[in-house]
Amino acid sequence: MSIKIDRIASNFVKEISYILANEVKDKNVRFVTVTDCKVTNDLSYAKVYVTVFDQTKIKDTIKALNNAKGFIRNKLM
């Protein structure tokens, strides 16, 4: 990847982490850590990798993240 793409992916990790920690109201998203982000060369697609602290609530947390993805996309724009 190019340096520009790497920098954008790094900024995505920081911004999404901030949004999840401070702006998403769902309590199931509280203990989520954004670990990595892969961005395509044309910047049309980003795959975000997360870890969940409470292993017993993985399904609830993934469901909450899927419900909040529109909000997160809007905040990133």
Side-chain angles (χ1 to χ4, degrees):
M1 277 199 260
S2 70
I3 295 171
K4 179 182 177 182
I5 300 296
D6 291 339
R7 192 177 317 136
I8 289 171
S10 175
N11 283 336
F12 274 179
V13 169
K14 291 176 190 173
E15 291 297 321
I16 293 171
S17 296
Y18 176 81
I19 292 168
L20 290 175
N22 298 317
E23 297 184 17
V24 174
K25 303 293 185 207
D26 195 342
K27 292 183 181 186
N28 289 326
V29 183
R30 295 236 184 244
F31 298 108
V32 172
T33 304
V34 179
T35 57
D36 195 16
C37 181
K38 303 289 183 194
V39 181
T40 58
N41 289 333
D42 62 353
L43 303 177
S44 65
Y45 183 76
K47 188 170 189 176
V48 180
Y49 297 91
V50 297
T51 58
V52 180
F53 180 71
D54 189 2
Q55 297 296 317
T56 61
K57 294 186 180 183
I58 290 177
K59 289 184 181 182
D60 293 335
T61 303
I62 297 299
K63 185 176 179 183
L65 285 171
N66 283 329
N67 289 337
K69 69 183 174 186
F71 176 76
I72 296 168
R73 281 184 191 157
N74 189 24
K75 287 291 188 176
L76 289 173
M77 297 286 170

